[in-house]
Structures are given as C-alpha cells and as structure tokens.
Amino acid sequence: MEQHNFASYKSGTFSTDITNFTITENLFAKKDMPAFVHEYCHYIQDITNISSIFGFSLWMRDLVNMTQIFSNGEGKTISIPLDRDQYGETINKFRKYYNLYCGDSNDVFELDYSQISFKERHQKTKEIELDGKIQHLITNTLELENHGNKLYFGLIVLQEIHAYYAQQLAEGNLPGVDLSIYSKDLPSYPYKFGDFLFREFNISIDLRSKFLLIDLCLDTIQSTSIFLDVLEQLKGKSVTAYGENRMNFVEIVDEAVAKCSYSTSVALTQIIPDLKMWSQGQGREHLSEALKWYIEKIELVYEIKKNNAPSFFSLPFTTDWKDFALLFESFPSPVYIKDGILMRTYSNNSDDVDKEFNKEFDAASTIWSHRILYDFLCSENLKQIDQRGKCPMYENCHFRPQIGDDYTCKRSPWEIIKNEKEIVCYYGMAAHSYGLWQNNLDIKTD
C-alpha cells in the first residue's frame, strides 16, 4: 500500500518499508510520524479486523496446499510456473479469490471531486468455482456522473480511507511541525474518496467519528457492502460518536451486518480452528511458531473487544500521543524494512519489553519471508519469475558473506537450505517450510 513511495505496508506480511524515514532514539523523527501512523494503521487492521484475518486464512489455505506439492517425493523436480490443479485452477486460487474482493492496489490516481457526483451503486454476487464448489463473492461498483469509468469499491479502498484518516488525526497532534509528507498531498483516489462519499450522501460527521465508523465496518466479512449500506442509512444526517448527541455506531453496523453478512464471531469460530490446526503441522516449526503468535494476537484483540463493548479498539488513534504510545507498546509494529534490512522496534526502558518486541519480530519476519517465497512460487509467467525470483534482502543481507554463494543468494535463494554450512536465512527458512529442501525447481522457458 504505497504512499507516494514514501512508505508502504504490504497486507498480511506485518512489515513496513521505512527506507525514507529518519531513525532517532525515539523511533522516528516527528516529521515522519503521521506517515508512520498511516502504515501502522494498516498493521492494526491486519490483527484486529475480520476482513483482514479472513484474507490471511485464505493465504494460509493456499500455502498448506502448496506444501503438499513439494512434500511429494524426495529428489523430485518441480516445474515453475506450477501446473494447475485437477479443477484447472492455479495453486494460489484462494488468495486470488480474496484479491477479487479487495480490488487492485495499483488503482491510485487523481479525481476532480468538484466535477463529479455519485450516481448509482451496482452490487453483484459473483459465483466462483473453487475445488469444485461454488463460492459467492459480493462486490460493489460505483457509477459516477461526469466520470467515464465505474469504480470498483474493494476492501483496499476502504482500508486506505481509514489509514488516511489516521494520518490526518496524527497531523493534528503535531501542529507547527514541517512534515515529510502531508495527507493533503496524497492522491485523491483512493485516500480522499471517503470524504467524497460522505459529502455525496450529505452526512455531516467529524474526523474522529469517520475513523471509528470505518473501523467498525472493516471488522465485518462484507466490509465494503456494510459501509455503503451504513452510508445509505445515515444519508442526510448529522452524526458523531461523541458527546450528548452521539449515535450508536455499533448498533448501526450490526443492523447492516444482519442484512448481508454473517457475524464476526461466527467467522472467527470457523477461521481460528483452521489456523490452530495449521500451526501444529509437522516439518515447519518456524512457521508453526509464527502462526501461534498470530493466533495469540487476534484472540487477545477480540477478548479485549468483548470486554470493552461497545468496542472501539482503535480509539487511541483518535486521542493524544500518550494513549497512542500505550497502544503501540501493547501492539508494536513488528517488522520494518530499511534499505533492504529487516529491523525491529526497541525499547529504551525495559529488557522485558525488548524480549516481547523480539518475539514479535521473529514471528512476523517468518510470515513475511513465507509470503515473499509464496509470491515467487505462484508466478504464472517468466516476467513474474524474473521480478520475484531475486531475494529482496540480497543487497544488505548479513547472512550472505557467511554463505559465500552470491549467485544462489541472488537468483535462487530457496537453495540456501541445501548449503553444507547449515546457514538458514529468512528465505531459506521459508523454503524449508514449503518442503523445498528435498526438491529441485525447473524454470520453464516456453
């Protein structure tokens, strides 16, 4: 999720690219903090919202299926791109299914909101065949006056609107600071599309309430449909989550959920047992430990939500830095990437906190490395293979001098697990989980 290339967060990997940030003893320079809060909001979305947790579980379903390919016979040669399965579907079919719902992350551009207006919402239920069974996917496309192309309103758009508001809230805590990048300078779509929709539905709502309302919508399986239904319900009203005239946002969202989605609690009862089963799989101890961390994280989050109803878990984003610091200390951003090096958060106050940060880092960096290798193994053509095959840590990897095989590190890092020195880098660790320690990869050239 790019932000003028200044910082980025890739959903489901728990890693934030901070190459352009200035590192200080207080984590980041003040000028970078709102940009960090934007990306940190995406991390919080990943661990607190069922829409993101559902997507993670679909990716894990693909990963587990993929390990069956590589665990079938020692010494077997596997061809990349991988063959389609018995149903004619790609090995990453479940992630593809989720991505259809999310939309295209590259849809970032300028819209002149003064020249367009909302015309009509088109909602469809798509039937998709997966494993020989029909799955249903609810999608929303928005038609605008004076704009030729319809806009696909996917989950990514709603997530970016949410993070944009988080950045604006952070800017309000730093008056007079010359910031590295301002929310006002972000592209109008998708970041500012929420303001356009609130205006078009004639809803008067303050910034903090916008953030909290979207946070509640994101914690539903059909997030985008829920949000659009809520806009219809609030049309022409003045609403807020604060003060004597506050409106019960939880009740409003729950009413929308009852019409077009099953509940978050029901979804969790289906997802968490699968995650726990996969965390107990044999032969991938690093990934197993990482999944246990993720399960602990989401179970803790939902226990907090249950005990603090009506739950606004992300409330510290809307208050002062002191409350935000407490949230960050309890749920730290686990992995940063700066100039191709993986980094973690450190505490200046407590060795115990540092140990917890280290646990977070180990788990999240493991998941990150598995996602990087997954993307490569799911390549469908030579161009993708060439783009994804190079190890992203190659330039500044501290394992490389020890391994002493530059070509393998750069062009086929999955082979690192076969080195005689028994040095396992992040990429090699992921290759072990997939079962690549016993197979060879053959890159198809036709």
Side-chain angles (χ1 to χ4, degrees):
M1 296 184 178
E2 294 188 354
Q3 181 182 285
H4 271 193
N5 295 323
F6 187 78
S8 62
Y9 178 89
K10 186 174 182 179
S11 177
T13 67
F14 315 117
S15 61
T16 305
D17 192 319
I18 59 166
T19 296
N20 294 319
F21 283 24
T22 300
I23 304 298
T24 70
E25 61 180 10
N26 295 317
L27 189 60
F28 305 125
K30 284 186 178 180
K31 62 186 179 69
D32 297 332
M33 281 304 295
F36 165 70
V37 170
H38 180 117
E39 306 306 335
Y40 178 67
C41 181
H42 287 313
Y43 168 65
I44 293 297
Q45 291 168 356
D46 261 356
I47 63 172
T48 66
N49 292 324
I50 192 63
S51 52
S52 295
I53 295 168
F54 174 59
F56 184 91
S57 71
L58 290 179
W59 168 53
M60 281 304 306
R61 192 173 296 278
D62 281 342
L63 189 153
V64 171
N65 289 340
M66 194 177 291
T67 60
Q68 296 175 5
I69 294 175
F70 296 108
S71 60
N72 184 22
E74 187 172 352
K76 184 178 179 180
T77 298
I78 308 293
S79 294
I80 303 291
L82 294 168
D83 294 330
R84 290 178 178 265
D85 64 16
Q86 60 179 318
Y87 303 105
E89 298 162 351
T90 58
I91 194 64
N92 58 335
K93 57 190 175 185
F94 287 105
R95 186 69 196 181
K96 275 190 169 183
Y97 171 65
Y98 183 64
N99 287 345
L100 284 174
Y101 170 65
C102 290
D104 189 347
S105 61
N106 295 317
D107 281 346
V108 178
F109 49 85
E110 294 296 338
L111 275 177
D112 186 351
Y113 293 125
S114 67
Q115 301 298 314
I116 61 176
S117 58
F118 178 80
K119 182 179 180 181
E120 191 175 356
R121 169 191 177 186
H122 301 276
Q123 187 176 64
K124 292 183 179 180
T125 299
K126 294 184 178 180
E127 289 189 349
I128 299 174
E129 187 173 344
L130 292 174
D131 289 346
K133 298 179 181 178
I134 298 297
Q135 306 285 340
H136 294 91
L137 177 71
I138 300 176
T139 62
N140 294 275
T141 305
L142 305 184
E143 187 176 353
L144 309 176
E145 294 280 5
N146 299 323
H147 184 71
N149 298 322
K150 296 177 182 177
L151 295 180
Y152 184 85
F153 192 70
L155 179 63
I156 289 174
V157 177
L158 194 58
Q159 289 175 330
E160 287 295 8
I161 293 170
H162 192 229
Y164 167 73
Y165 290 147
Q167 184 174 348
Q168 282 192 315
L169 289 163
E171 289 172 352
N173 286 328
L174 292 170
V177 177
D178 188 14
L179 303 177
S180 302
I181 185 169
Y182 290 83
S183 58
K184 65 181 178 62
D185 295 325
L186 294 176
S188 57
Y189 186 84
Y191 307 100
K192 303 171 186 177
F193 194 63
D195 287 342
F196 166 76
L197 289 175
F198 282 118
R199 185 196 78 195
E200 289 298 298
F201 281 82
N202 193 26
I203 300 170
S204 176
I205 182 171
D206 58 279
L207 176 59
R208 293 192 298 171
S209 297
K210 289 177 183 176
F211 179 85
L212 294 175
L213 179 62
I214 293 176
D215 190 60
L216 288 171
C217 292
L218 285 172
D219 196 25
T220 65
I221 287 291
Q222 297 292 345
S223 298
T224 53
S225 295
I226 299 300
F227 177 66
L228 293 171
D229 286 350
V230 168
L231 290 183
E232 292 279 4
Q233 188 173 346
L234 298 179
K235 190 173 183 177
K237 296 180 179 179
S238 178
V239 300
T240 182
Y242 298 92
E244 293 181 2
N245 298 319
R246 66 181 179 272
M247 187 170 283
N248 190 331
F249 285 177
V250 175
E251 186 177 286
I252 292 170
V253 172
D254 284 346
E255 287 178 7
V257 169
K259 295 177 182 178
C260 72
S261 180
Y262 54 96
S263 72
T264 296
S265 59
V266 170
L268 284 172
T269 62
Q270 297 171 351
I271 292 171
I272 289 181
D274 282 342
L275 291 175
K276 287 183 176 180
M277 177 181 66
W278 294 327
S279 73
Q280 297 166 3
Q282 299 297 313
R284 47 177 185 263
E285 57 271 17
H286 297 292
L287 181 59
S288 293
E289 288 303 311
L291 285 176
K292 290 174 185 176
W293 162 80
Y294 182 61
I295 294 165
E296 290 174 1
K297 190 69 61 179
I298 58 180
E299 286 187 327
L300 173 59
V301 164
Y302 281 98
E303 187 65 25
I304 292 173
K305 287 186 177 186
K306 185 175 70 174
N307 293 330
N308 291 275
S311 175
F312 293 115
F313 185 88
S314 298
L315 187 65
F317 280 90
T318 70
T319 54
D320 58 26
W321 284 126
K322 183 178 179 181
D323 289 337
F324 181 80
L326 291 173
L327 173 67
F328 181 80
E329 186 172 325
S330 301
F331 298 91
S333 185
V335 176
Y336 306 109
I337 302 174
K338 186 172 178 62
D339 296 319
I341 298 174
L342 295 182
M343 303 171 56
R344 68 176 179 87
T345 301
Y346 289 87
S347 169
N348 294 324
N349 303 316
S350 169
D351 290 340
D352 288 337
V353 173
D354 266 344
K355 289 178 182 178
E356 188 62 28
F357 285 171
N358 196 52
K359 177 183 176 183
E360 304 267 339
F361 173 80
D362 287 343
S365 58
T366 296
I367 291 171
W368 168 86
S369 65
H370 282 72
R371 180 62 183 276
I372 294 297
L373 182 53
Y374 167 86
D375 287 343
F376 167 72
L377 294 173
C378 291
S379 298
E380 296 183 32
N381 53 59
L382 288 177
K383 182 179 180 181
Q384 290 182 350
I385 288 172
D386 185 63
Q387 290 174 337
R388 301 171 180 176
K390 178 183 175 182
C391 178
M393 297 291 102
Y394 172 78
E395 298 295 340
N396 294 294
C397 179
H398 67 275
F399 289 109
R400 186 154 56 93
Q402 304 172 50
I403 295 169
D405 185 351
D406 280 2
Y407 180 82
T408 300
C409 286
K410 185 175 184 178
R411 300 306 307 176
S412 53
W414 52 87
E415 296 283 348
I416 297 301
I417 54 172
K418 301 177 182 178
N419 70 80
E420 296 179 357
K421 298 178 182 178
E422 297 184 352
I423 299 169
V424 180
C425 64
Y426 292 114
Y427 212 120
M429 177 175 60
H432 185 275
S433 291
Y434 282 97
L436 280 170
W437 57 271
Q438 62 179 357
N439 301 124
N440 297 311
L441 291 183
D442 176 44
I443 307 299
K444 295 178 183 177
T445 58
D446 53 10

